[in-house]
Amino acid sequence: MNEIKNVIFDLGGVLIDWNPEYVYLDVFKGDRTKMKWFFDNICTMDWNENQDAGYPLAKATEERVALFPEHEELIRMYYGRWEEMLGEQIDPTVDILRQLINNTALKVVALTNWSAETFPVALERFDFLQWFEGIVVSGTEKTRKPFKEIYDITLNRFDLVANESIFIDDNARNIEAANQLGIHGLHFKNANTLKNQLSSHKIKVI
């Protein structure tokens, strides 16, 4: 096994809590069935990921309203109340990040699927985002995980060797794509599991 010299972090779901339920569960008066139908059919995750890849939020919203005019108010909430979907930092993982940053043998960067229009909100809210050597934001790059291009951008920009790098993400699809490029993907479940995963690569955190 190659010595690990680099750690690449996903942000949402690993270090930052983001969930549209924080807005819509209240809007749907706690009816999860109706809320799920809305996410499965109207403001879908595929639709949101298109904006993560750089599509303008306003244009995406107007197009969706044109398709589903009867749901206009709910559609406009998605980005109109986006900041309310942004939760707190995930403290146990941020603590692991701090330890990795303090390990001078490691280079630590981030790779996130995130709209370039909303990412400045996160930068202002979460101080730990300044700790990284750099952050690759999908919306800025006009591509996203799990496409090969964004992993190549990350490796090249920070002079990382794939098999000397760990990638931590909560989405198994993104982990599989990283593995195919020779990056050691760690499927994030929780902080304790991550500690064990890092230990298997001879990186100790407490």
Side-chain angles (χ1 to χ4, degrees), residues 69-87:
E70 69 276 21
H71 298 290
E72 178 175 2
E73 183 179 0
L74 292 171
I75 292 166
R76 293 194 185 282
M77 282 180 193
Y78 200 94
Y79 293 116
R81 295 180 61 182
W82 181 88
E83 287 191 44
E84 297 173 54
M85 302 177 190
L86 196 59

Side-chain angles (χ1 to χ4, degrees), residues 61-202:
T61 299
E62 295 309 321
E63 289 173 350
R64 192 96 329 195
V65 167
L67 279 174
F68 306 103
E70 69 276 21
H71 298 290
E72 178 175 2
E73 183 179 0
L74 292 171
I75 292 166
R76 293 194 185 282
M77 282 180 193
Y78 200 94
Y79 293 116
R81 295 180 61 182
W82 181 88
E83 287 191 44
E84 297 173 54
M85 302 177 190
L86 196 59
E88 301 302 320
Q89 68 182 40
I90 301 172
D91 287 326
T93 325
V94 172
D95 184 58
I96 291 172
L97 171 65
R98 181 183 291 106
Q99 294 180 62
L100 297 177
I101 293 286
N102 289 336
N103 183 339
T104 56
L106 295 172
K107 182 183 290 189
V108 185
V109 303
L111 167 57
T112 183
N113 278 2
W114 206 304
S115 165
E117 295 179 61
T118 57
F119 191 64
V121 176
L123 277 176
E124 186 173 336
R125 187 177 298 189
F126 302 108
D127 291 341
F128 70 82
L129 293 178
Q130 310 302 324
W131 301 351
F132 291 103
E133 184 151 332
I135 302 174
V136 173
V137 179
S138 62
T140 302
E141 306 302 331
K142 310 298 188 192
T143 185
R144 61 170 175 81
K145 298 173 285 184
F147 299 122
K148 178 179 183 294
E149 183 182 4
I150 201 162
Y151 297 93
D152 288 339
I153 288 169
T154 306
L155 295 173
N156 294 332
R157 182 166 300 166
F158 303 115
D159 195 26
L160 312 179
V161 176
N163 64 10
E164 295 176 350
S165 305
I166 279 173
F167 174 56
I168 303 162
D169 196 296
D170 63 323
N171 190 319
R173 174 200 66 181
N174 299 337
I175 291 298
E176 182 179 343
N179 287 336
Q180 289 175 358
L181 297 173
I183 303 168
H184 302 279
L186 303 183
H187 189 193
F188 179 80
K189 299 292 189 182
N190 54 61
N192 285 333
T193 300
L194 178 57
K195 289 177 184 178
N196 292 331
Q197 291 169 319
L198 289 169
S199 178
S200 72
H201 288 277
K202 300 181 181 178

Side-chain angles (χ1 to χ4, degrees), residues 17-70:
D17 179 23
W18 177 85
N19 195 329
E21 287 190 12
Y22 293 149
V23 168
Y24 284 97
L25 193 58
D26 181 58
V27 169
F28 283 106
K29 297 181 170 54
D31 189 329
R32 289 189 172 275
T33 301
K34 287 184 179 179
M35 181 180 69
K36 183 178 185 302
W37 183 91
F38 179 76
F39 291 147
D40 287 346
N41 295 279
I42 310 298
C43 288
T44 66
M45 292 312 295
D46 284 345
W47 174 74
N48 179 60
E49 282 194 325
N50 195 44
Q51 284 68 267
D52 285 348
Y55 201 76
L57 304 187
K59 189 175 181 182
T61 299
E62 295 309 321
E63 289 173 350
R64 192 96 329 195
V65 167
L67 279 174
F68 306 103
E70 69 276 21

